[in-house]
Structure formats: structure tokens, C-alpha cells
Amino acid sequence: MEKSYKGQRIFTGIGITSKKASGRLRLISTNEGVVQNKGTSLNKDDEKKRFLDAVKRTIERTNEIAKRAKESLGESEAQIFEIHAMLLDDEDFIGSALGEISKGKSAEEAVTSSAQKYTSILRAIGDEYLSARASDIKDICSGIIDTLSAKTEKGDSEEEPYILVARDLTPSQTVKLDKSKILGFVTYEGTPSSHTSILARAMGIPAIVGVGELPNSIIGTEALLDAKRGRLIACPSDEERERFLAEYRYESKIASEHERYMRSLISTPAVTRSGHRVLIYANVGNEGEVDGALLNGAEGIGLLRSEFMYFERDTYPSETELFSSYKRIAEKMQGKRVIIRTLDVGADKQIPYFNLEKEQNPALGYRGIRICLDRRELFKIQLRAILRASHYGKVGIMMPMIATLGELKRAKELLFEAMKELDKESVMYDEKIEIGIMIETPASAIISDKLAKEVSFFSVGTNDLTQYTLAVDRQNSRVSGICADTEAVMRLIKMATDNIHEVGGWIGVCGEMAADLSLTQAFVDIGVDELSVSAPYLLGVRGKVTDSK
Ligand code: PEP
Ligand code: MG
């Protein structure tokens, strides 16, 4: 099959990590809309059979998940999956999708349009319970499409490790993936600072983003993914496979020798040749990533993206659940700093159960601290959980997306209210907890002299700071090349650094630029105190700092 393949087989995009992988390509649907098999010229009876088989398999899988959830999580957590299985079996839904296929649509298109029809009917009723069911429908339709997309020439490949293909991955999709099965990622869209790239770096696996739409015909076939060269070869010839393997062996050997050398540096603090000490911290999304961070010599957690705890679920986590997780992380870190960022949802980080309205310009809209200052209870729960965890380690609190002094002051008022509540309840917390903000908007850098007086530290989120400074959507691969010119962003970082140092505070960089070794010297020259990167990058950054002037 591979040798007689006629269509385009070689695709290029932006490589993330410099690794390689080979395996079968498996397509995963995205949250909004779907990577679709187009309906024209399909056999309607075959499509109906594909659809009904996929529904059947999805029901079986959902029932299985419900059973496991009942055993491990309890009755009420399992209920959600039982409801999903019931909705999947709904005659009207199945009838509607079959009707769409009769009109010439593919199974995937039929599922998507039936889902859209049902979700808009449910949302229009304006009832909270029914709106939540609309999110369920979206989820189960993604499940059916995943099942449809998982078909390979061998049949269902779910048990085999695979190279994941998606239009782009949303953060809530990424946390739900069975990561032990993923050899690499290929996304049609996406940029080096999109969430797929952040996840690929955190997992230390190869990825290529922004490859453009791949033909359906290569899904399910074997492919070679070379992230170093940003290249995907589907249906490779014997010669291509041999060359790939030879390069793979050579590059792995060099990489492991380099890693051995880097590991020998772990116990030495990172100090530049001119004596500037830089703290090497880790970015993590959950407890599971903390072990990897410690193993690679993290001196602290510079960014705990707390929204990942919200992505993993179908309902809001309680204060106790957040607290227990933060406490375990603080304890694991044994007195090393743990900076917990309050919820940063909205824009590219959507969570269905937040029911956020669709916006014209989501990146400039309702996100991060803006939501928390509105939904005070939601914010309070997080603040109380972080404060309570601060009794068990060296915890700091960080607010995202600050653009004005007023926002910071209001956020601090709510923090002080949470402290007072805990005082009344005689609950222990660190009264001297460090308070900091992300520098992610040009405005925050420009007024950093004023903001600095209100906090102990800044942490620069270069992913968003770049997006807002250069007016480059961080999800849009067409314009991502503009970000290569870092001068404007660097000037803003310098401004914020000087201002926070002026009042005796410290500054770190936790966006993806912190892991870019070609920028390490520039960060050292600016005088940043900390660099926070995902675990697989810790050793490299530490080595680069020690080599810097
Ligand atoms: C950033 O914007 O650089 C950042 C670290 O936050 P996130 O990537 O989670 O938006
Ligand atoms: Mg950000």
C-alpha cells in the first residue's frame, strides 16, 4: 500500500522539540467543529454503516468508562457518563444524523451538524440544566468523531501508540488524552506558543505544528515525523525509512551524551561566568508533572497553570479539591518555591461548563483576571485554596492578564478578604505569602513602576506578551514568523525588570521564550532572576546559563 501511494506524502511545518517518531497517524476531532471527512462522492450506505458502528462502539466505550468511574470515583461522578451513553442512544439524534448522510454528508459532517442543531435548541431554552446537556452533546459527538477517525487499514488502532493528528488541540482536549499512547503530534494549525506546542515540550515528544490540512487518505497510514526538520513523511519508502532510522540512532546517541553531561550540573546552582545567579524553575500543569521537574533539577515551580485542574473535569473543582492538590505539590517541593497562578481561562482556553459567550475577538476579551474579578466566588475559592496550601510549603500567588493598576488592587482586596475569612475560621496560612503578577500585556510592562510597588515579583508570560505587543494571534501560524523579532518584547521585559528591581522585588520569565537557548544571554543581560520552563528543558537552560557571560 505504502509503495503504490500516489498523492502528496511529504508535509512541512514548524518543528517543536528536535526529536523524531514513527507510527500510524490518528486523527482527533477538535472541540469546536471537527476535522472533517468531506461528504461529496461517498457511498451513503457505507457512511450510514460507519456512523452506526461508531455510535455503537462509542456507547460501549462510554459504558465502560461509567463502570470504571463508579468503581474509582463514586456514583455521582459516574452519572455524567451514563447520561452520555443515554444521549448517544437517542432515536431523534441518530435519525437526524442518518438524514444528513442521506443528503450526501459524510458521517463526520452529519454528526457535527446534528450536534450543532441540538446544542442550539437546548441553549436557546435558557435553562441551566439543559445548557449543561448541550455541552454533553458536544462532548459525545467528539467521541463519535474520534471513533470514526480512529479507523485505520488494520481496523481500530486505539490500543497501539500513534502519532496524533488534529486541526489544533485545545487545552481541555490535551489534558484528557491518554498520553502514554502518543508518539508525537501533528497539527494543521498552531504556532510555537500554542497549547499543542507547550504540551509537546512538557511531554518531551516531537511535534510539528502549522502543516496545513492533511489529506484524509494518509490518516491511518504509517508515517515518519522529524520535528528537527519540521517534516512529516507519510507512507515512506524503504530508503526513506532507513535514512530516518540512521539519523534517529545518531541523534539519540548525541542527545543522551549531552543529557549525561547536563545531569552532572544538576546540583550546582546556575551562575553565569560573570557571577549572575539565575533560578531555574519549572512550569507544570498538574501534580503529575512535579516529579519530572524535580528529577531534572527544578529549584522551584515558577508557573503552576491552575486552569489545568479545571480542564480535567466536567464540573467546577471545590476549594477542598484545589487545596488538597496544591498542598501535595507544596509538600513534594519541600520548601522550594511554588508559584500558583490563579485561573487563566477564556480566549484560547475554553472550558465548556463555564458557559462563556462566544466573542468576536476572544484574545482581547473576557479572560484571566477579568473573569475572576467578576465571578468573585470562583476567585475566592481559588484564593482560599492557595492560602491554605501556603501553610505546607513556600507558596506564592500569581494573577494573570493584569492590564491596569485597578485590577491588581481589586484582586488584592479579594485576597485580603479571603485572609480575613481564614483568620475568623482559625485556618492557618502563610501571612507573608508572596504576591505577584504575570507581565503579559504591554500595558502591565509600561506601568510596571506602579505595579511593582504592589507586589513581590513579576513573571513574564512571553506567549501573551508577544501576542499583544506584536499584534500576532498566538494560534495563527500564518503570522507567527513575525515573532522572531523579539526586540520590542525584550525592551518591555527590561522595563519591567528595572522597575521591580527598583523596589527590591524579583522577576522571572515563564513563557516559551524562556526555553529558547538563543535568548538566554539576552535574559541574563537584562538581569532576570529566574527562568521557568517545562521539565525536559530544565537541563538545557541550566547549562546555557552557566555558559553565559
Ligand atoms: C504566557 O502567556 O507566556 C504564559 C506563560 O501563559 P499561558 O501560556 O498559559 O497563556
Ligand atoms: Mg498567558
Side-chain angles (χ1 to χ4, degrees):
M1 139 99 205
E2 272 85 355
K3 285 192 186 128
S4 63
Y5 192 84
K6 291 278 187 306
Q8 188 189 356
R9 299 183 303 114
I10 302 182
F11 306 87
T12 51
I14 306 164
I16 307 295
T17 81
S18 55
K19 297 190 174 174
K20 284 183 161 56
S22 67
R24 284 185 188 275
L25 298 171
R26 181 168 171 219
L27 190 69
I28 300 287
S29 64
T30 62
N31 255 2
E32 34 267 86
V34 172
V35 175
Q36 291 183 354
N37 188 4
K38 296 276 185 328
T40 45
S41 79
L42 292 170
N43 177 311
K44 290 173 190 168
D45 289 337
D46 287 352
E47 276 312 278
K48 285 183 186 172
K49 185 170 175 318
R50 269 182 82 224
F51 166 71
L52 292 171
D53 281 353
V55 170
K56 188 167 160 260
R57 278 192 288 151
T58 314
I59 293 178
E60 284 165 7
R61 205 175 49 218
T62 309
N63 282 330
E64 185 53 33
I65 296 174
K67 200 170 130 221
R68 269 187 275 141
K70 200 176 272 179
E71 285 158 12
S72 57
L73 301 168
E75 202 72 47
S76 63
E77 296 291 337
Q79 238 174 28
I80 184 92
F81 299 106
E82 287 165 0
I83 293 173
H84 283 191
M86 267 162 51
L87 290 171
L88 273 163
D89 221 358
D90 183 80
E91 267 178 32
D92 288 343
F93 171 71
I94 291 177
S96 153
L98 289 174
E100 298 290 336
I101 296 174
S102 297
K103 285 187 219 154
K105 288 194 172 157
S106 70
E108 288 90 341
E109 288 172 314
V111 172
T112 309
S113 61
S114 300
Q116 273 158 0
K117 191 165 98 192
Y118 277 81
T119 49
S120 43
I121 292 174
L122 290 176
R123 291 217 163 102
I125 298 170
D127 174 273
E128 206 174 306
Y129 176 80
L130 292 178
S131 286
R133 296 290 72 80
S135 301
D136 289 340
I137 287 183
K138 245 175 128 182
D139 255 19
I140 60 173
C141 287
S142 290
I144 302 175
I145 288 160
D146 284 350
T147 313
L148 285 165
S149 318
K151 188 175 158 291
T152 70
E153 53 188 9
K154 268 191 182 174
D156 197 337
S157 69
E158 274 172 43
E159 293 312 312
E160 272 179 46
Y162 56 90
I163 295 176
L164 185 151
V165 179
R167 179 163 296 286
D168 201 2
L169 287 172
T170 63
S172 67
Q173 274 180 313
T174 58
V175 297
K176 287 177 185 154
L177 293 168
D178 178 356
K179 300 185 183 65
S180 65
K181 298 271 165 58
I182 301 172
L183 301 166
F185 295 117
V186 179
T187 58
Y188 300 175
E189 295 165 6
T191 67
S193 65
S194 63
H195 295 285
T196 314
S197 308
I198 292 174
L199 179 73
R201 284 193 198 95
M203 290 170 69
I205 62 170
I208 311 180
V209 300
V211 287
E213 190 138 353
L214 298 181
N216 259 310
S217 49
I218 66 160
I219 302 303
T221 65
E222 195 205 331
L224 307 174
L225 192 172
D226 181 349
K228 191 171 179 186
R229 294 164 185 83
R231 195 170 52 185
L232 178 81
I233 305 180
C235 314
S237 64
D238 290 344
E239 199 188 322
E240 282 166 335
R241 196 177 289 117
E242 268 161 36
R243 191 174 337 119
F244 180 88
L245 276 174
E247 282 170 0
Y248 176 82
R249 281 191 216 105
Y250 176 72
E251 284 164 14
S252 310
K253 188 167 166 273
I254 302 280
S256 56
E257 277 166 15
H258 188 60
E259 187 176 327
R260 209 170 314 133
Y261 165 69
M262 292 295 185
R263 279 202 184 282
S264 68
L265 301 174
I266 275 188
S267 47
T268 340
V271 179
T272 64
R273 284 188 271 136
S274 58
H276 176 60
R277 167 86 164 101
V278 180
L279 298 165
I280 310 294
Y281 284 4
N283 292 346
V284 299
N286 58 33
E287 266 175 81
E289 288 179 39
V290 174
D291 294 328
L294 283 170
L295 206 68
N296 288 301
E299 297 175 274
I301 303 291
L303 169 64
L304 169 62
R305 287 185 163 96
S306 69
E307 54 276 7
F308 278 75
M309 285 201 56
Y310 289 72
F311 293 138
E312 283 160 12
R313 324 163 39 96
D314 295 311
T315 50
Y316 293 96
S318 67
E319 178 184 321
T320 313
E321 283 169 311
L322 292 175
F323 160 66
S324 311
S325 175
Y326 299 159
K327 172 174 179 271
R328 285 194 295 272
I329 294 173
E331 286 174 340
K332 255 190 194 175
M333 291 303 290
Q334 300 188 339
K336 293 182 171 135
R337 214 183 236 141
V338 177
I339 305 293
I340 304 178
R341 178 172 77 181
T342 59
L343 198 56
D344 183 28
V345 294
D348 48 333
K349 298 179 200 154
Q350 291 293 331
I351 302 182
Y353 60 86
F354 272 64
N355 283 320
L356 298 173
E357 271 172 34
K358 233 178 158 45
E359 294 174 302
Q360 291 275 1
N361 292 301
L364 301 181
Y366 199 49
R367 64 167 293 192
I369 199 72
R370 302 169 184 187
I371 296 178
C372 284
L373 290 175
D374 258 10
R375 299 194 184 178
R376 294 160 69 102
E377 259 327 289
L378 174 77
F379 195 34
K380 269 287 191 58
I381 284 172
Q382 300 167 57
L383 297 173
R384 286 175 54 102
I386 299 172
L387 284 169
R388 286 169 61 189
S390 69
H391 181 61
Y392 299 89
K394 190 170 169 34
V395 171
I397 185 165
M398 176 156 76
M399 331 271 187
M401 272 299 288
I402 295 285
T404 70
L405 185 61
E407 283 170 337
L408 174 56
K409 287 197 166 162
R410 267 180 286 145
K412 281 177 69 181
E413 270 164 31
L414 288 167
L415 178 66
F416 297 141
E417 262 179 43
M419 286 178 172
K420 277 195 204 126
E421 285 171 16
L422 293 179
D423 287 338
K424 263 198 209 138
E425 296 161 28
S426 308
V427 175
M428 310 283 277
Y429 62 90
D430 175 6
E431 287 165 20
K432 297 207 180 81
I433 187 168
E434 282 186 303
I435 304 170
I437 58 165
M438 299 277 296
I439 297 291
E440 289 173 297
T441 61
S444 64
I446 293 164
I447 58 162
S448 53
D449 53 338
K450 291 192 170 162
L451 297 170
K453 294 188 182 121
E454 300 286 329
V455 294
S456 310
F457 68 92
F458 288 154
S459 185
V460 185
T462 53
N463 307 333
D464 279 314
L465 187 60
T466 302
Q467 152 163 271
Y468 296 123
T469 305
L470 295 175
V472 166
D473 177 353
R474 67 189 268 191
Q475 302 290 105
N476 188 339
S477 48
R478 267 189 104 162
V479 287
S480 65
I482 299 171
C483 305
D485 189 331
T486 56
E487 183 176 353
V489 171
M490 286 298 189
R491 283 199 201 182
L492 290 174
I493 300 176
K494 170 92 172 84
M495 198 185 275
T497 305
D498 291 346
N499 284 326
I500 193 85
H501 283 167
E502 183 74 29
V503 292
W506 60 275
I507 185 165
V509 178
C510 65
E512 297 308 293
M513 275 166 71
D516 181 342
L517 302 186
S518 69
L519 299 174
T520 313
Q521 182 67 58
F523 289 132
V524 168
D525 293 342
I526 284 173
V528 304
D529 306 288
E530 173 244 16
L531 291 171
S532 191
V533 297
S534 49
Y537 287 77
L538 287 163
L539 293 173
V541 172
R542 177 187 290 271
K544 194 70 188 178
V545 167
T546 12
D547 272 354
S548 300
K549 286 182 261 156

